[in-house]
Amino acid sequence: MTEAGQAEPLPGGRDTFRLFFALWPDDAARDALNRTGRWLHRHWGGRRMRADTLHMTLAFLGSTPAAQLDALAACAATITSEAFELVLDRPGYWRHNRIGWLGASETPPQYLELARVLNDALAAAGFAVDARPHVPHVTLLRKSAGGEAPACSPVRWRVKDFVLVKSVTTPDGAHYEVVRRWPLGAGGAAGAA
Ligand code: 2AM
């Protein structure tokens, strides 16, 4: 994993990676999300996401040739959003995929701007990103029964950067590896280039 602001060469070659851009929690936010996952699991059941996988997707790319990594980095470098705080206080459930998740009753404008500008830049560069309206969420449970939404202690997450993540599927599930990180705040993501 790279440190915030550090510009490391991206892995190249002829490989194809399953990739997505995401907000990646720091240790404090990860612990809080994991506790909320444990609590929601008591209400709704299902399979808890491992703590090391918890994240909020900004843009999903899917299978992408490694040769495109520089183009992805160029899209990320157009981001000039400021750092912001997410208050995740709303459990949600999607029946169609049986996912239990945590979202925000109030989405910060900086988040919406970040997701919009990033997805627009990716689309303009020819990447097939999902054009559907984006519901900010952290998946906590899979194969869950759902139910009444219980009242929830808010998770406060100070978002200072965003990342490009590679998903590797192994027999014990998906593992995520942060490929590169771009800071938010003064100078925006262009500061990492
Ligand atoms: P989820 O949390 O709602 O399952 C890695 O798979 C990440 O990309 C997950 O956060 C997942 O969302 C998201 N993801 C997977 N497939 C996707 C798709 N087709 N469109 C948008 N996001 C997707």
Side-chain angles (χ1 to χ4, degrees):
M1 193 183 296
T2 59
E3 292 301 315
Q6 194 173 328
E8 282 192 359
L10 291 164
R14 298 156 67 93
D15 300 333
T16 294
F17 299 136
R18 183 178 156 88
L19 296 173
F20 58 97
F21 283 101
L23 302 181
W24 201 250
D26 59 18
D27 288 347
R30 186 173 298 285
D31 282 353
L33 289 167
N34 194 40
R35 277 197 301 277
T36 302
R38 194 179 305 132
W39 164 84
L40 196 60
H41 182 256
R42 285 204 293 270
H43 290 270
W44 287 357
R47 189 165 59 74
R48 280 176 62 201
M49 298 293 290
R50 289 194 322 272
D52 62 292
T53 67
L54 297 171
H55 67 276
M56 184 175 279
T57 299
L58 285 170
F60 181 74
L61 297 151
S63 185
T64 309
Q68 298 287 312
L69 285 166
D70 285 344
L72 290 175
C75 293
T78 64
I79 300 296
T80 57
S81 305
E82 294 294 313
F84 58 93
E85 185 179 60
L86 271 175
V87 180
L88 301 176
D89 57 353
R90 192 166 69 93
Y93 179 72
W94 285 321
R95 196 171 297 278
H96 70 280
N97 54 11
R98 301 179 63 208
I99 279 180
W101 49 271
L102 189 65
S105 48
E106 282 183 43
T107 306
Q110 298 96 325
Y111 171 87
L112 294 172
E113 172 80 359
L114 169 58
R116 184 184 63 77
V117 173
L118 181 59
N119 280 277
D120 285 355
L122 292 166
F127 291 100
V129 283
D130 200 337
R132 286 174 300 181
H134 184 77
V135 178
H137 68 280
V138 177
T139 296
L140 296 175
L141 306 173
R142 295 202 183 274
K143 300 187 174 159
S144 170
E148 289 288 308
C152 167
S153 316
V155 171
R156 293 180 184 278
W157 174 359
R158 187 77 202 156
V159 179
K160 304 192 198 83
D161 53 23
F162 67 102
V163 298
L164 179 65
V165 186
K166 177 166 88 172
S167 168
V168 181
T169 307
T170 66
D172 62 326
H175 289 263
Y176 298 141
E177 186 184 313
V178 173
V179 175
R180 186 155 165 186
R181 189 180 287 269
W182 290 267
L184 298 173

